[in-house]
Amino acid sequence: MNEPRAVHPSRWATATWPLGAHLRRSSGTTTFAVAAPAATRVTLEFFPEATGADAHASIVMVQGADGVWRAEVNHARHGTLYGFRVWGRNWSYDPAWKPGSAAGFLTDRDADLNHFNPNKVLFDPYAREVTHNPMSQAVLDAGADRGVFGSGPVPWRGRPGREADTARYAPKGVVIEDTTRTGTHPRHPEEDNAIYEAHVKNLTLHPSSTRLGELLANTRGFQGLPNIPDHLRGTYAGAALMAPYLRALGMTVIELLPVHETDSDQVGAHNGTTNHWGYQTLAFFAPNRDYSSDKSLGGPTREFKQMVHAFHDAGIEVFLDVVYNHSAEGGNWGGDLDSAGFTTLGGFATTEYYALTSSGGLIDGATGTSNQTNFSSPLTCDLVLDSLRHWHDTMGVDGFRFDLAPVLGRRPNAAEADDWVAQRRFFSNHPLLDAVAQLAAENNIEVIAEAWDLWGYEVGNFPSGWGEWNGRFRDAMRAFSKGDGNTDDFMAFFNGDYLHFNDNDGPQKSINFVTAHDGFTMFDLVSYNAKNNDQPYPFGPSDGGSDNNLSWDSGGKKSLRRTRWRNLWLLTFLARGVPMIVSGDEYGRSQNGNNNPWSLNTVGIWNNWAQAASASPSKLPVDPGQPELPGYHHIVGTMKGEPPVNQLLVFARYVAQLRRTQATFRQRTWGEMTRGGPDVSYVYFGTDLNDPPRPGDRQLAVAIDSGVSGGDDFWILVNMYDQPARFDLSEWTESPASHDWVRIIDTAPWAEPEGNAWPKESGLHVAGEYTVEPWSIVVLQAPPTRRPEAPGNLWGRGGGVQMDRWGIPHLRGRLDEAFERIRRSFVRTAPDAPPPDQPGPDAAGATPPA
């Protein structure tokens, strides 16, 4: 094996090749570049093994005017392992220095608070793969522990940590050459999307996945699915085999929890102590090696791209949850500002990559996880943009969801370091946010913000082009569906949240969800009044989790839980905007009430696909191979209908496919405020369809006028009250034509044996009154009959109410006149509903918490 050697070093100072390691195919050489503007010396080292070996070649790099250190090297092709040593003004180069010595040491930080230490081998922030992480068993096997990475005065094995050489233990970058194709991007219009949020491991690691095809063979629409081979469980390759399932369900996007290399002791099916979800990013360009069945150098890259190709072939887009707001480098050790455990970013340019206190402390103010990144720095902004380009251009990814995205819109250097009021300011015009939006527009990439962090709630404040998780939709639907009677909020957010998204591209920028990975599952939301995180393996214990869940246990009544689950699923998919659900919600997955299992890589948290084929999913064992484990709480009950079908899954597919096939629910515009406009309009009525709903009403109707969309018209009849609701469907006598209404959905328990849904061709024809059972929703469908040249008042006898540009309800067709906010004081026939903060008892006599 030839050792790497320098090529044309006289050219390095003026070179412009990009950051990272890149093969030059014409010459067969590899260029290396790393940013360390304040460093005084950088060496590039090559290693024969990931751990247990010293470098077999070392090359002194040259710094260019741009602050980037570069080298061009021969014999450094695919699979080459490399790392860096860095000196600075705090640690000058001394020819007497050797790994593990203090020669040249002056202080642990330079005058600008950078931590430079040549004893700490660093891996390339732009590495396409990383050999291992600092919490890996490989570090222990090589004779060290995590403490070896600590710098500064904090001791390790009797000496200051700064003197501990990490060459034999540090993660190494891997040179990657790979030509695997990722297929053709499906590029669905954003408004057509339905997002399925999933964890790579959780998706297929449960033993039941090896029988996926067998289990769902009798469930309509899911025939012909593959079984997941045992050796592919919990891997990219295993996830790829789920593509036909997602297509059958009616989803267009799989959004994966973080797949960047992370710092974790979770390995395979082994439950470690922390960070199962992967929100501690170690390397922003490298796929997580633990998620690959192929652990060889280059294996994770190849397998990830093959997974993307499989989803693309099925018409499924791949989004990634990305974490740029902080890194996994661990903060200051032992409370000592001179100590840190940098293995990459911080060792090259602490002050460029991280937001610091005035004394140089690593902060966690907005993230709660330390190592908050510094987006006043062009270097950090470029890291984000370059990472996004790599995952799109090379790895085939279609879109990104940004964890704690407001951090990317802050400018730490624009205020005094310890002025926490000023530090919290969010800049919606931040150059990085605009650059991400521009990158997305130019490359047909979708970008979605989690628009809140510990310092602020910025839903609706991101620049045009950004989609956003709509936490207001989540809260409004959760509250209204348990009887809180927040009628105005329900109307505003079911209509696509015009107030917060009207200055963006359309309602498709509102990502509508009622559950996400960090919270209750959808069935737990209707089954527990409070989180239940302090429970034994395999459902706990785990810390954290919100105490404000807007959940209700449905009075302990299992049939009501199933009804309320159907309501939440239905509202998510029929609301204006883009629906997102969590993997397993479609069949009633439960975590026994744990609303924050971030650290749990256990059989209780993985998707149990046997439940998807069972009429009594919560009565199944967590793992038949471990009968001694605590079981699922029996919260679902036994569904009515022919076993072994899970009627929740059947219903979920019906609703998702309804949205997929009906243009009415997939629009880029809000409805017109005048009558008879061409756009799809959501118009709200009380039960008699004559007047708008009153604040606090828990029984209302939504007329969805298809305009000229090519879709059908719909009535959504909503009853979030414990008494039946009678809706008078006799159409307005002056309407130009009458609808032939057909009932296609009724979420009430009585309809469960029939799946709560019917094909339009065989549905019940409805005219006159229709009674909606307590806590239920009914959907009626009809071909449009309204002629644009003869618009009427829709189908109610009154004008109804619609949300205006401020999210305030106004009488339809009368926006040009001054109207007060709808606060109806007259009395009409309706159940005597209690005030919205005092929900009445349900049919079982239970009272949902406000």
Side-chain angles (χ1 to χ4, degrees):
M1 176 180 176
N2 294 319
E3 288 188 358
R5 59 181 179 83
V7 176
H8 308 305
S10 61
R11 304 176 185 175
W12 298 354
T14 57
T16 58
W17 57 69
L19 296 172
H22 300 275
L23 175 69
R24 287 186 160 179
R25 299 193 182 280
S26 58
S27 63
T29 61
T30 303
T31 62
F32 294 84
V34 64
T40 57
R41 178 184 173 92
V42 177
T43 61
L44 168 63
E45 299 198 334
F46 297 93
F47 296 84
E49 304 290 342
T51 58
D54 293 321
H56 63 83
S58 181
I59 295 171
V60 179
M61 305 181 79
V62 175
Q63 188 178 34
D66 56 359
V68 175
W69 297 77
R70 293 182 172 88
E72 184 176 1
V73 179
N74 228 336
H75 309 305
R77 300 290 297 263
H78 177 77
T80 298
L81 308 184
Y82 68 102
F84 302 90
R85 295 185 188 269
V86 185
W87 287 257
R89 288 172 293 163
N90 65 303
W91 196 313
S92 60
Y93 175 68
D94 185 331
W97 176 87
K98 60 181 181 180
S101 79
F105 170 73
L106 299 173
T107 182
D108 286 301
R109 294 180 290 164
D110 69 11
D112 295 321
L113 307 177
N114 290 296
H115 294 245
F116 292 119
N117 185 339
N119 286 324
K120 305 303 176 183
V121 171
L122 307 174
F123 72 83
D124 184 357
Y126 280 62
R128 269 36 178 182
E129 283 189 15
V130 176
T131 55
H132 61 283
N133 74 69
M135 296 185 72
S136 170
Q137 179 67 33
V139 175
L140 300 177
D141 294 342
D145 55 51
R146 189 179 179 87
V148 73
F149 300 110
S151 187
V154 173
W156 185 72
R157 295 185 177 177
R159 298 176 62 193
R162 72 173 71 91
E163 297 178 12
D165 181 58
T166 62
R168 297 187 177 190
Y169 320 110
K172 314 301 189 301
V174 185
V175 176
I176 298 295
E177 299 176 46
D178 184 83
T179 58
T180 305
R181 301 179 66 83
T182 59
T184 302
H185 295 280
R187 290 183 176 167
H188 302 297
E190 288 176 90
E191 64 272 17
D192 287 359
N193 278 337
I195 301 173
Y196 188 87
E197 190 194 35
H199 187 291
V200 171
K201 277 190 179 181
N202 292 0
L203 193 59
T204 63
L205 197 47
H206 195 279
S208 62
S209 69
T210 62
R211 298 187 296 122
L212 176 72
E214 300 168 22
L215 289 166
L216 294 178
N218 296 321
T219 302
R220 185 170 61 251
F222 293 97
Q223 296 87 354
L225 299 179
N227 294 323
I228 309 299
D230 186 71
H231 70 285
L232 299 183
R233 289 168 44 217
T235 67
Y236 301 124
L241 294 173
M242 295 297 297
Y245 171 84
L246 265 67
R247 180 175 58 191
L249 181 60
M251 311 306 291
T252 66
V253 175
I254 183 167
E255 181 175 296
L256 297 173
L257 267 65
V259 301
H260 292 170
E261 188 64 62
T262 189
D263 197 11
S264 176
D265 59 352
Q266 308 275 359
V267 180
H270 167 71
N271 183 41
T273 60
T274 186
N275 188 25
H276 171 53
W277 282 349
Y279 285 89
Q280 291 288 351
T281 302
L282 190 69
F284 296 94
F285 293 75
N288 191 330
R289 187 172 300 279
D290 185 40
Y291 295 171
S292 182
S293 65
D294 183 351
K295 299 293 196 295
S296 67
L297 301 178
T301 297
R302 180 169 52 254
E303 189 169 315
F304 182 91
K305 293 165 77 173
Q306 290 169 341
M307 176 194 70
V308 171
H309 201 309
F311 281 117
H312 284 175
D313 284 351
I316 306 294
E317 295 185 1
V318 178
F319 290 5
L320 299 185
D321 196 333
V322 287
V323 186
Y324 296 114
N325 60 81
H326 73 283
S327 84
E329 289 203 272
N332 298 112
W333 287 31
D336 192 317
L337 299 183
D338 284 332
S339 294
F342 295 133
T343 55
T344 179
L345 299 175
F348 290 108
T350 314
T351 58
E352 291 284 345
Y353 287 118
Y354 294 122
L356 305 174
T357 64
S358 59
S359 55
L362 293 153
I363 71 170
D364 63 359
T367 67
T369 55
S370 196
N371 294 97
Q372 186 170 318
T373 37
N374 176 12
F375 290 105
S376 286
S377 166
L379 202 61
T380 310
C381 294
D382 287 346
L383 175 76
V384 171
L385 294 168
D386 291 342
S387 173
L388 296 175
R389 290 188 188 98
H390 169 69
W391 285 98
H392 174 71
D393 297 348
T394 302
M395 306 297 277
V397 170
D398 305 279
F400 302 91
R401 178 266 187 188
F402 293 74
D403 179 65
L404 302 182
V407 175
L408 280 67
R410 294 205 169 88
R411 293 170 167 162
N413 296 359
E416 293 296 325
D418 297 332
D419 183 348
W420 298 113
V421 173
Q423 287 288 332
R424 290 169 182 260
R425 183 179 175 188
F426 173 74
F427 296 85
S428 60
N429 63 344
H430 194 293
L432 177 59
L433 300 182
D434 289 338
V436 170
Q438 182 177 353
L439 176 69
E442 292 173 352
N443 294 275
N444 292 295
I445 301 170
E446 293 190 37
V447 291
I448 300 167
E450 180 187 33
W452 55 85
D453 61 13
L454 298 184
W455 277 355
Y457 194 80
E458 304 295 343
V459 172
N461 293 335
F462 275 69
S464 181
W466 280 80
E468 300 175 41
W469 272 21
N470 197 337
R472 292 186 175 98
F473 176 92
R474 173 199 60 203
D475 295 345
M477 295 305 126
R478 286 186 175 192
F480 192 77
S481 69
K482 74 183 187 76
D484 283 3
N486 54 333
T487 314
D488 285 358
D489 281 353
F490 172 82
M491 292 190 293
F493 296 113
F494 194 68
N495 190 52
D497 196 0
Y498 186 93
L499 173 61
H500 296 103
F501 290 91
N502 69 85
D503 59 349
N504 210 321
D505 295 338
Q508 77 279 2
K509 294 301 183 181
S510 173
I511 308 302
N512 298 333
F513 68 103
V514 294
T515 55
H517 66 274
D518 53 349
F520 279 140
T521 67
M522 192 176 288
F523 213 92
D524 283 355
L525 185 66
V526 300
S527 303
Y528 296 89
N529 290 329
K531 67 185 183 184
N532 183 28
N533 296 0
D534 188 19
Q535 55 182 308
Y537 179 95
F539 296 101
S542 62
D543 59 4
S546 174
D547 294 318
N548 182 27
N549 296 287
L550 297 172
S551 62
W552 172 39
D553 73 350
S554 307
K557 190 172 183 180
K558 296 180 177 69
S559 61
L560 179 57
R561 289 172 179 165
R562 298 195 298 271
T563 295
R564 295 186 60 233
W565 173 92
R566 287 187 285 265
N567 294 341
L568 289 169
W569 185 276
L570 188 64
L571 294 173
T572 302
F573 275 83
L574 299 193
R576 206 189 290 273
V578 171
M580 185 192 81
I581 57 97
V582 180
S583 176
D585 273 353
E586 69 272 20
Y587 62 77
R589 187 176 73 88
S590 172
Q591 296 169 170
N592 278 8
N594 190 324
N595 76 345
N596 197 44
W598 67 278
S599 59
L600 300 179
N601 177 31
T602 71
V603 68
I605 303 302
W606 305 332
N607 286 54
N608 185 345
W609 293 106
Q611 292 183 310
S614 173
S616 301
S618 56
K619 294 183 72 174
L620 295 179
V622 173
D623 179 1
Q626 302 182 73
E628 73 282 2
L629 290 178
Y632 298 106
H633 297 165
H634 188 35
I635 57 176
V636 179
T638 300
M639 290 172 249
K640 301 174 182 178
E642 294 186 9
V645 170
N646 181 317
Q647 294 286 18
L648 302 179
L649 178 60
V650 173
F651 181 82
R653 179 179 183 272
Y654 179 96
V655 174
Q657 292 288 353
L658 175 67
R659 183 183 186 279
R660 187 185 69 82
T661 57
Q662 277 291 327
T664 302
F665 301 115
R666 299 179 282 106
Q667 295 295 305
R668 299 180 70 90
T669 59
W670 285 273
E672 297 291 337
M673 298 306 296
T674 56
R675 300 170 187 160
D679 295 332
V680 172
S681 298
Y682 283 42
V683 185
Y684 300 87
F685 296 87
T687 54
D688 58 9
L689 310 187
N690 190 37
D691 292 301
R694 299 170 301 183
D697 277 0
R698 296 156 64 185
Q699 299 174 332
L700 57 85
V702 188
I704 304 182
D705 180 4
S706 62
V708 295
S709 69
D712 287 341
D713 292 338
F714 292 87
W715 273 117
I716 315 294
L717 312 178
V718 181
N719 182 13
M720 294 298 106
Y721 188 60
D722 63 359
Q723 298 297 319
R726 294 183 301 277
F727 291 86
D728 183 0
L729 294 162
S730 302
E731 294 203 355
W732 189 51
T733 55
E734 297 181 24
S735 292
S738 295
H739 286 81
D740 180 15
W741 293 112
V742 174
R743 182 196 62 204
I744 60 169
I745 293 172
D746 191 326
T747 66
W750 73 264
E752 193 171 74
E754 302 178 48
N756 296 96
W758 301 266
K760 182 174 65 173
E761 296 72 24
S762 59
L764 175 71
H765 291 261
V766 176
E769 287 191 349
Y770 189 93
T771 299
V772 180
E773 297 300 314
W775 302 106
S776 300
I777 300 176
V778 169
V779 179
L780 309 180
Q781 179 180 5
T785 62
R786 178 181 54 79
R787 296 189 300 272
E789 66 274 11
N793 263 356
L794 275 173
W795 322 306
R797 289 171 296 284
V801 67
Q802 204 168 351
M803 310 310 292
D804 75 0
R805 69 179 58 202
W806 306 115
I808 298 172
H810 278 275
L811 292 181
R812 179 176 167 85
R814 304 287 294 279
L815 188 61
D816 55 330
E817 300 179 14
F819 275 87
E820 295 182 357
R821 186 172 175 81
I822 302 300
R823 291 287 184 242
R824 310 294 287 178
S825 58
F826 55 83
V827 178
R828 57 183 171 85
T829 303
D832 293 327
D837 61 342
Q838 300 176 14
D842 76 343
T847 300

